[in-house]
Amino acid sequence: MPFLQIKEYICVMPKFKKYIFNSDTLSYEMIEKSPRRRFLKSIFLFLASVGAAVFYVWIYTSVLGHELPKTVILKKTNAKWCSKVEMMNRQLDMYDEALSAFAMRDNVIYRSVFGMYEIPDEVRNAGFGGVNRYSYLDLADHSGLLKKTVVRLDVLTKKTYVQSKSFDEVAAIAKHSGDMVLRIPALSPICPAAGTYHISSSFGYRTDPVYGRTAFHEGLDFAMPPGNSVYATADGVVEKVRHEFFGYGNSVLVDHGFGYKTRYAHMKTISVHEGMTVRRGTFLGLSGNSGKSTGPHLHYEVIYKGRPVNPINYLDLSMDTGEYMALVGNVQSGES
């Protein structure tokens, strides 16, 4: 009887199962692969695929000199945004120039006309000190363009706010601009009757009558006998009343607004008090010889924006005496 050879048939099925034909039992028997072997095979295939991908990328970028598609897309997107940011910076340049023009006009014209103090450049152009509030842009913005733009935008926003507040102040003052004429110290502090006084010391440098050295005299001295009436030269509010043994002696400082103040010094008596509202021609007191004085006189100052100016440029000492006394009389009767 011929020897029969029964071949062994292997059938591979999915899901990690292998079927082998058993010649003894004449049936297929299932053999499962071990989990460890399957895991190692999976790891090997994964590492092999990663290695192949890395090798391909290296050949594509380093050897052939090409860029990855995602890199190309990111570079195009970055270039587009950089172009937009640069365009924004050009617009910020125009806004900055316009704002600088507004600031110059505000200081030189608007605030100057109404006697308001100029806003210093350090206030208008103040930056943001202290904590670095833009640190979150350091890692994402290697060129520094975005950070520079954000800083400029914040600074311009602050400058715009300062300018807006300044215009609000000017507008508020402008509503009362009709009062400005009455608040400029244009009246003489004393009745300018000829022969009743003389200018003993004018505005500017002179030899100090007490110390004998050259010093700047900040007002006009009206030499006259004690007891002459002294009047407010413009509408305002009494800011200070001082009674000193030296210096100005008995003195009154009146704030007229619009940058103007006037001082009346070396008086004998004072008839007003601090906080009192006065009109042009209001009686302030009597001239005298108090404080640092070498003779009876009225020391009169005009102060504009914190600096003394020559009172002679504001006074009309040629005013008719009758007209002057009529104006003063009307004020006194109106206040009484």
Short mmCIF file of all heavy atoms in Angstrom, two decimals, residues 237-291:
data_model
loop_
_atom_site.label_atom_id
_atom_site.label_comp_id
_atom_site.label_asym_id
_atom_site.label_seq_id
_atom_site.Cartn_x
_atom_site.Cartn_y
_atom_site.Cartn_z
N VAL A 237 -11.20 136.33 42.65
CA VAL A 237 -11.44 135.80 44.00
C VAL A 237 -10.19 136.02 44.83
O VAL A 237 -9.06 135.77 44.35
CB VAL A 237 -11.78 134.29 43.96
CG1 VAL A 237 -11.95 133.73 45.36
CG2 VAL A 237 -13.03 134.05 43.13
N VAL A 238 -10.36 136.49 46.05
CA VAL A 238 -9.22 136.71 46.93
C VAL A 238 -8.63 135.35 47.31
O VAL A 238 -9.28 134.52 47.94
CB VAL A 238 -9.64 137.48 48.20
CG1 VAL A 238 -8.45 137.66 49.12
CG2 VAL A 238 -10.23 138.83 47.81
N GLU A 239 -7.38 135.15 46.91
CA GLU A 239 -6.72 133.86 47.18
C GLU A 239 -5.99 133.87 48.51
O GLU A 239 -6.04 132.89 49.27
CB GLU A 239 -5.75 133.53 46.04
CG GLU A 239 -5.02 132.20 46.22
CD GLU A 239 -4.12 131.89 45.06
OE1 GLU A 239 -4.56 132.02 43.89
OE2 GLU A 239 -2.94 131.53 45.30
N LYS A 240 -5.27 134.97 48.80
CA LYS A 240 -4.49 135.04 50.04
C LYS A 240 -4.61 136.42 50.66
O LYS A 240 -4.62 137.43 49.94
CB LYS A 240 -3.01 134.73 49.79
CG LYS A 240 -2.71 133.30 49.38
CD LYS A 240 -1.21 133.11 49.16
CE LYS A 240 -0.89 131.71 48.70
NZ LYS A 240 0.58 131.53 48.45
N VAL A 241 -4.66 136.44 51.97
CA VAL A 241 -4.54 137.68 52.75
C VAL A 241 -3.44 137.42 53.77
O VAL A 241 -3.55 136.49 54.57
CB VAL A 241 -5.86 138.06 53.45
CG1 VAL A 241 -5.63 139.24 54.39
CG2 VAL A 241 -6.93 138.39 52.42
N ARG A 242 -2.37 138.23 53.73
CA ARG A 242 -1.22 137.99 54.62
C ARG A 242 -0.93 139.24 55.45
O ARG A 242 -1.03 140.37 54.96
CB ARG A 242 0.03 137.61 53.81
CG ARG A 242 -0.09 136.26 53.11
CD ARG A 242 -0.06 135.14 54.13
NE ARG A 242 -0.10 133.83 53.51
CZ ARG A 242 -1.20 133.13 53.31
NH1 ARG A 242 -2.37 133.65 53.66
NH2 ARG A 242 -1.16 131.94 52.76
N HIS A 243 -0.55 139.00 56.72
CA HIS A 243 -0.11 140.07 57.62
C HIS A 243 1.27 139.66 58.12
O HIS A 243 1.40 138.84 59.03
CB HIS A 243 -1.09 140.25 58.79
CG HIS A 243 -2.49 140.58 58.36
ND1 HIS A 243 -2.89 141.88 58.06
CD2 HIS A 243 -3.58 139.79 58.16
CE1 HIS A 243 -4.16 141.87 57.71
NE2 HIS A 243 -4.61 140.61 57.77
N GLU A 244 2.32 140.23 57.51
CA GLU A 244 3.70 139.83 57.81
C GLU A 244 4.49 141.05 58.29
O GLU A 244 4.25 142.19 57.85
CB GLU A 244 4.37 139.22 56.57
CG GLU A 244 3.63 137.99 56.03
CD GLU A 244 4.19 137.52 54.70
OE1 GLU A 244 4.72 138.36 53.95
OE2 GLU A 244 4.07 136.31 54.40
N PHE A 245 5.45 140.77 59.16
CA PHE A 245 6.29 141.85 59.68
C PHE A 245 7.34 142.24 58.65
O PHE A 245 7.71 143.41 58.53
CB PHE A 245 6.96 141.41 60.99
CG PHE A 245 7.71 142.51 61.67
CD1 PHE A 245 7.04 143.51 62.36
CD2 PHE A 245 9.10 142.56 61.60
CE1 PHE A 245 7.74 144.54 62.97
CE2 PHE A 245 9.80 143.58 62.21
CZ PHE A 245 9.12 144.57 62.90
N PHE A 246 7.84 141.24 57.90
CA PHE A 246 8.82 141.51 56.84
C PHE A 246 8.17 141.23 55.48
O PHE A 246 6.99 140.94 55.38
CB PHE A 246 10.06 140.63 57.03
CG PHE A 246 10.82 140.93 58.30
CD1 PHE A 246 10.73 140.10 59.40
CD2 PHE A 246 11.62 142.06 58.39
CE1 PHE A 246 11.42 140.37 60.56
CE2 PHE A 246 12.32 142.35 59.55
CZ PHE A 246 12.22 141.49 60.65
N GLY A 247 8.97 141.26 54.44
CA GLY A 247 8.49 140.93 53.11
C GLY A 247 7.41 141.88 52.63
O GLY A 247 7.57 143.10 52.68
N TYR A 248 6.29 141.33 52.18
CA TYR A 248 5.21 142.13 51.61
C TYR A 248 4.38 142.84 52.67
O TYR A 248 3.52 143.65 52.34
CB TYR A 248 4.28 141.24 50.78
CG TYR A 248 4.88 140.76 49.48
CD1 TYR A 248 5.01 139.41 49.19
CD2 TYR A 248 5.32 141.68 48.52
CE1 TYR A 248 5.54 138.97 47.99
CE2 TYR A 248 5.86 141.26 47.32
CZ TYR A 248 5.98 139.90 47.07
OH TYR A 248 6.51 139.48 45.88
N GLY A 249 4.60 142.54 53.94
CA GLY A 249 3.79 143.17 54.98
C GLY A 249 2.34 142.72 54.88
O GLY A 249 2.06 141.54 54.72
N ASN A 250 1.44 143.67 54.97
CA ASN A 250 0.01 143.36 54.77
C ASN A 250 -0.25 143.31 53.26
O ASN A 250 -0.07 144.32 52.56
CB ASN A 250 -0.87 144.43 55.41
CG ASN A 250 -0.64 144.52 56.91
OD1 ASN A 250 -0.35 143.52 57.57
ND2 ASN A 250 -0.76 145.73 57.45
N SER A 251 -0.67 142.15 52.77
CA SER A 251 -0.80 142.00 51.32
C SER A 251 -2.04 141.19 50.97
O SER A 251 -2.56 140.41 51.77
CB SER A 251 0.43 141.32 50.72
OG SER A 251 0.54 139.98 51.20
N VAL A 252 -2.50 141.39 49.73
CA VAL A 252 -3.67 140.67 49.18
C VAL A 252 -3.26 140.09 47.83
O VAL A 252 -2.66 140.79 47.00
CB VAL A 252 -4.88 141.61 49.01
CG1 VAL A 252 -6.05 140.86 48.37
CG2 VAL A 252 -5.30 142.21 50.34
N LEU A 253 -3.60 138.81 47.62
CA LEU A 253 -3.37 138.16 46.32
C LEU A 253 -4.74 137.77 45.76
O LEU A 253 -5.50 137.06 46.41
CB LEU A 253 -2.49 136.92 46.46
CG LEU A 253 -2.17 136.17 45.17
CD1 LEU A 253 -1.27 137.03 44.27
CD2 LEU A 253 -1.49 134.84 45.46
N VAL A 254 -5.04 138.26 44.55
CA VAL A 254 -6.33 137.99 43.91
C VAL A 254 -6.10 137.13 42.68
O VAL A 254 -5.23 137.43 41.84
CB VAL A 254 -7.04 139.30 43.51
CG1 VAL A 254 -8.36 139.00 42.81
CG2 VAL A 254 -7.26 140.19 44.73
N ASP A 255 -6.89 136.04 42.58
CA ASP A 255 -6.83 135.16 41.42
C ASP A 255 -7.97 135.55 40.47
O ASP A 255 -9.14 135.46 40.82
CB ASP A 255 -6.99 133.70 41.85
CG ASP A 255 -6.82 132.73 40.69
OD1 ASP A 255 -6.69 133.18 39.54
OD2 ASP A 255 -6.81 131.50 40.94
N HIS A 256 -7.60 135.98 39.26
CA HIS A 256 -8.59 136.44 38.29
C HIS A 256 -8.98 135.36 37.28
O HIS A 256 -9.86 135.59 36.43
CB HIS A 256 -8.05 137.66 37.53
CG HIS A 256 -7.65 138.79 38.43
ND1 HIS A 256 -8.54 139.63 39.03
CD2 HIS A 256 -6.41 139.19 38.85
CE1 HIS A 256 -7.90 140.52 39.77
NE2 HIS A 256 -6.60 140.27 39.69
N GLY A 257 -8.35 134.20 37.34
CA GLY A 257 -8.61 133.17 36.35
C GLY A 257 -7.90 133.49 35.05
O GLY A 257 -7.24 134.53 34.90
N PHE A 258 -8.01 132.59 34.08
CA PHE A 258 -7.38 132.75 32.78
C PHE A 258 -5.87 132.99 32.91
O PHE A 258 -5.24 133.63 32.06
CB PHE A 258 -8.01 133.90 31.98
CG PHE A 258 -9.46 133.69 31.70
CD1 PHE A 258 -10.42 134.33 32.47
CD2 PHE A 258 -9.90 132.85 30.69
CE1 PHE A 258 -11.78 134.15 32.23
CE2 PHE A 258 -11.25 132.66 30.45
CZ PHE A 258 -12.20 133.30 31.21
N GLY A 259 -5.27 132.52 33.99
CA GLY A 259 -3.82 132.64 34.19
C GLY A 259 -3.37 133.89 34.89
O GLY A 259 -2.18 134.06 35.15
N TYR A 260 -4.29 134.80 35.23
CA TYR A 260 -3.90 136.09 35.81
C TYR A 260 -4.10 136.11 37.33
O TYR A 260 -5.10 135.61 37.85
CB TYR A 260 -4.74 137.22 35.21
CG TYR A 260 -4.38 137.56 33.78
CD1 TYR A 260 -5.17 137.10 32.73
CD2 TYR A 260 -3.26 138.34 33.50
CE1 TYR A 260 -4.84 137.41 31.41
CE2 TYR A 260 -2.93 138.66 32.19
CZ TYR A 260 -3.73 138.19 31.15
OH TYR A 260 -3.40 138.49 29.86
N LYS A 261 -3.13 136.73 38.01
CA LYS A 261 -3.23 137.03 39.43
C LYS A 261 -2.62 138.41 39.65
O LYS A 261 -1.75 138.85 38.90
CB LYS A 261 -2.49 136.00 40.29
CG LYS A 261 -3.07 134.60 40.25
CD LYS A 261 -2.31 133.64 41.17
CE LYS A 261 -2.90 132.25 41.11
NZ LYS A 261 -2.22 131.30 42.04
N THR A 262 -3.08 139.10 40.71
CA THR A 262 -2.49 140.39 41.07
C THR A 262 -2.20 140.41 42.57
O THR A 262 -2.90 139.78 43.36
CB THR A 262 -3.44 141.56 40.73
OG1 THR A 262 -4.73 141.32 41.32
CG2 THR A 262 -3.58 141.72 39.22
N ARG A 263 -1.14 141.13 42.94
CA ARG A 263 -0.75 141.25 44.35
C ARG A 263 -0.68 142.74 44.72
O ARG A 263 -0.14 143.56 43.97
CB ARG A 263 0.59 140.58 44.60
CG ARG A 263 1.07 140.72 46.05
CD ARG A 263 2.39 140.01 46.28
NE ARG A 263 2.19 138.57 46.47
CZ ARG A 263 2.68 137.63 45.66
NH1 ARG A 263 3.37 137.99 44.60
NH2 ARG A 263 2.46 136.37 45.92
N TYR A 264 -1.19 143.04 45.92
CA TYR A 264 -1.20 144.40 46.47
C TYR A 264 -0.49 144.30 47.82
O TYR A 264 -0.98 143.63 48.74
CB TYR A 264 -2.63 144.91 46.63
CG TYR A 264 -3.50 144.66 45.40
CD1 TYR A 264 -4.04 143.39 45.16
CD2 TYR A 264 -3.76 145.67 44.50
CE1 TYR A 264 -4.83 143.14 44.05
CE2 TYR A 264 -4.55 145.44 43.38
CZ TYR A 264 -5.06 144.17 43.16
OH TYR A 264 -5.84 143.94 42.04
N ALA A 265 0.64 145.00 47.97
CA ALA A 265 1.47 144.77 49.16
C ALA A 265 1.80 146.08 49.89
O ALA A 265 1.62 147.18 49.35
CB ALA A 265 2.77 144.06 48.76
N HIS A 266 2.30 145.91 51.14
CA HIS A 266 2.71 147.00 52.04
C HIS A 266 1.51 147.88 52.42
O HIS A 266 1.64 149.09 52.63
CB HIS A 266 3.82 147.86 51.41
CG HIS A 266 5.00 147.08 50.93
ND1 HIS A 266 5.76 146.30 51.76
CD2 HIS A 266 5.53 146.93 49.68
CE1 HIS A 266 6.73 145.73 51.06
NE2 HIS A 266 6.60 146.08 49.79
N MET A 267 0.33 147.26 52.52
CA MET A 267 -0.89 148.02 52.83
C MET A 267 -0.98 148.31 54.33
O MET A 267 -0.36 147.64 55.16
CB MET A 267 -2.12 147.24 52.34
CG MET A 267 -2.15 147.03 50.83
SD MET A 267 -3.51 145.97 50.28
CE MET A 267 -4.93 146.96 50.72
N LYS A 268 -1.77 149.31 54.64
CA LYS A 268 -2.00 149.68 56.03
C LYS A 268 -3.11 148.83 56.63
O LYS A 268 -2.96 148.26 57.71
CB LYS A 268 -2.36 151.17 56.11
CG LYS A 268 -2.64 151.66 57.52
CD LYS A 268 -2.99 153.15 57.50
CE LYS A 268 -3.27 153.66 58.91
NZ LYS A 268 -3.62 155.11 58.90
N THR A 269 -4.23 148.76 55.93
CA THR A 269 -5.36 147.93 56.38
C THR A 269 -5.88 147.14 55.17
O THR A 269 -5.73 147.55 54.01
CB THR A 269 -6.50 148.78 56.96
OG1 THR A 269 -6.96 149.69 55.95
CG2 THR A 269 -6.03 149.55 58.18
N ILE A 270 -6.54 146.02 55.48
CA ILE A 270 -7.13 145.16 54.44
C ILE A 270 -8.60 144.96 54.78
O ILE A 270 -8.96 144.62 55.91
CB ILE A 270 -6.40 143.80 54.37
CG1 ILE A 270 -4.95 144.02 53.93
CG2 ILE A 270 -7.12 142.85 53.41
CD1 ILE A 270 -4.11 142.75 53.91
N SER A 271 -9.47 145.15 53.79
CA SER A 271 -10.91 145.09 54.01
C SER A 271 -11.58 143.89 53.35
O SER A 271 -12.81 143.81 53.32
CB SER A 271 -11.58 146.37 53.49
OG SER A 271 -11.05 147.52 54.14
N VAL A 272 -10.80 142.96 52.83
CA VAL A 272 -11.37 141.75 52.20
C VAL A 272 -10.82 140.53 52.91
O VAL A 272 -9.87 140.61 53.71
CB VAL A 272 -11.02 141.70 50.69
CG1 VAL A 272 -11.73 142.81 49.93
CG2 VAL A 272 -9.52 141.75 50.47
N HIS A 273 -11.40 139.37 52.63
CA HIS A 273 -10.95 138.14 53.26
C HIS A 273 -10.76 137.05 52.19
O HIS A 273 -11.29 137.17 51.06
CB HIS A 273 -11.96 137.68 54.32
CG HIS A 273 -13.35 137.51 53.77
ND1 HIS A 273 -13.78 136.37 53.10
CD2 HIS A 273 -14.43 138.36 53.79
CE1 HIS A 273 -15.04 136.51 52.73
NE2 HIS A 273 -15.46 137.72 53.14
N GLU A 274 -10.06 136.01 52.53
CA GLU A 274 -9.80 134.93 51.59
C GLU A 274 -11.10 134.25 51.17
O GLU A 274 -11.98 134.01 51.97
CB GLU A 274 -8.84 133.91 52.21
CG GLU A 274 -7.44 134.46 52.44
CD GLU A 274 -6.49 133.40 53.00
OE1 GLU A 274 -6.93 132.25 53.22
OE2 GLU A 274 -5.30 133.73 53.20
N GLY A 275 -11.20 133.97 49.88
CA GLY A 275 -12.39 133.35 49.33
C GLY A 275 -13.46 134.33 48.89
O GLY A 275 -14.46 133.92 48.29
N MET A 276 -13.25 135.59 49.14
CA MET A 276 -14.23 136.61 48.79
C MET A 276 -14.17 136.91 47.29
O MET A 276 -13.10 137.03 46.70
CB MET A 276 -13.96 137.88 49.59
CG MET A 276 -14.89 139.03 49.28
SD MET A 276 -14.51 140.47 50.36
CE MET A 276 -15.56 141.71 49.63
N THR A 277 -15.33 137.02 46.65
CA THR A 277 -15.41 137.39 45.24
C THR A 277 -15.37 138.91 45.12
O THR A 277 -16.11 139.61 45.81
CB THR A 277 -16.69 136.85 44.60
OG1 THR A 277 -16.69 135.42 44.69
CG2 THR A 277 -16.77 137.24 43.13
N VAL A 278 -14.48 139.40 44.25
CA VAL A 278 -14.34 140.84 44.06
C VAL A 278 -14.57 141.18 42.59
O VAL A 278 -14.43 140.34 41.71
CB VAL A 278 -12.95 141.33 44.50
CG1 VAL A 278 -12.75 141.12 45.99
CG2 VAL A 278 -11.84 140.64 43.71
N ARG A 279 -14.96 142.41 42.36
CA ARG A 279 -15.15 142.91 41.00
C ARG A 279 -14.10 143.98 40.71
O ARG A 279 -13.44 144.49 41.62
CB ARG A 279 -16.55 143.49 40.85
CG ARG A 279 -17.67 142.44 40.98
CD ARG A 279 -19.02 143.12 40.98
NE ARG A 279 -19.21 143.95 39.79
CZ ARG A 279 -20.19 144.85 39.64
NH1 ARG A 279 -21.06 145.04 40.64
NH2 ARG A 279 -20.29 145.54 38.52
N ARG A 280 -13.97 144.31 39.45
CA ARG A 280 -13.05 145.39 39.08
C ARG A 280 -13.53 146.69 39.73
O ARG A 280 -14.64 147.16 39.47
CB ARG A 280 -13.02 145.54 37.56
CG ARG A 280 -12.17 146.70 37.07
CD ARG A 280 -12.13 146.74 35.56
NE ARG A 280 -11.38 145.62 35.01
CZ ARG A 280 -11.30 145.33 33.71
NH1 ARG A 280 -11.98 146.08 32.84
NH2 ARG A 280 -10.58 144.32 33.30
N GLY A 281 -12.70 147.23 40.62
CA GLY A 281 -13.06 148.45 41.35
C GLY A 281 -13.49 148.19 42.78
O GLY A 281 -13.80 149.14 43.50
N THR A 282 -13.47 146.92 43.24
CA THR A 282 -13.81 146.62 44.63
C THR A 282 -12.73 147.19 45.56
O THR A 282 -11.53 147.05 45.30
CB THR A 282 -13.92 145.09 44.85
OG1 THR A 282 -15.01 144.60 44.09
CG2 THR A 282 -14.15 144.77 46.32
N PHE A 283 -13.15 147.79 46.64
CA PHE A 283 -12.23 148.38 47.62
C PHE A 283 -11.54 147.24 48.39
O PHE A 283 -12.20 146.39 49.00
CB PHE A 283 -13.00 149.29 48.57
CG PHE A 283 -12.17 149.87 49.68
CD1 PHE A 283 -11.24 150.86 49.42
CD2 PHE A 283 -12.32 149.44 50.99
CE1 PHE A 283 -10.48 151.41 50.45
CE2 PHE A 283 -11.57 149.97 52.01
CZ PHE A 283 -10.64 150.96 51.74
N LEU A 284 -10.20 147.24 48.36
CA LEU A 284 -9.42 146.20 49.04
C LEU A 284 -8.88 146.64 50.39
O LEU A 284 -8.67 145.81 51.28
CB LEU A 284 -8.25 145.76 48.15
CG LEU A 284 -8.60 145.17 46.78
CD1 LEU A 284 -7.31 144.80 46.03
CD2 LEU A 284 -9.51 143.96 46.90
N GLY A 285 -8.62 147.95 50.54
CA GLY A 285 -8.04 148.46 51.78
C GLY A 285 -7.32 149.76 51.53
O GLY A 285 -7.53 150.42 50.52
N LEU A 286 -6.42 150.09 52.46
CA LEU A 286 -5.69 151.35 52.37
C LEU A 286 -4.20 151.10 52.20
O LEU A 286 -3.66 150.14 52.75
CB LEU A 286 -5.93 152.18 53.63
CG LEU A 286 -7.39 152.57 53.93
CD1 LEU A 286 -7.47 153.32 55.27
CD2 LEU A 286 -7.96 153.44 52.80
N SER A 287 -3.55 151.96 51.42
CA SER A 287 -2.10 151.85 51.23
C SER A 287 -1.39 152.19 52.53
O SER A 287 -1.93 152.89 53.40
CB SER A 287 -1.64 152.79 50.11
OG SER A 287 -1.84 154.15 50.50
N GLY A 288 -0.15 151.70 52.67
CA GLY A 288 0.58 151.94 53.91
C GLY A 288 2.07 151.81 53.75
O GLY A 288 2.62 152.13 52.68
N ASN A 289 2.72 151.27 54.80
CA ASN A 289 4.19 151.20 54.82
C ASN A 289 4.62 149.95 55.60
O ASN A 289 5.64 149.97 56.29
CB ASN A 289 4.75 152.47 55.46
CG ASN A 289 6.25 152.60 55.28
OD1 ASN A 289 6.81 152.09 54.31
ND2 ASN A 289 6.92 153.26 56.23
N SER A 290 3.85 148.87 55.49
CA SER A 290 4.14 147.65 56.28
C SER A 290 5.17 146.78 55.55
O SER A 290 5.42 146.94 54.36
CB SER A 290 2.84 146.86 56.50
OG SER A 290 2.26 146.47 55.26
N GLY A 291 5.75 145.87 56.33
CA GLY A 291 6.71 144.93 55.75
C GLY A 291 8.05 145.57 55.45
O GLY A 291 8.45 146.57 56.08
#
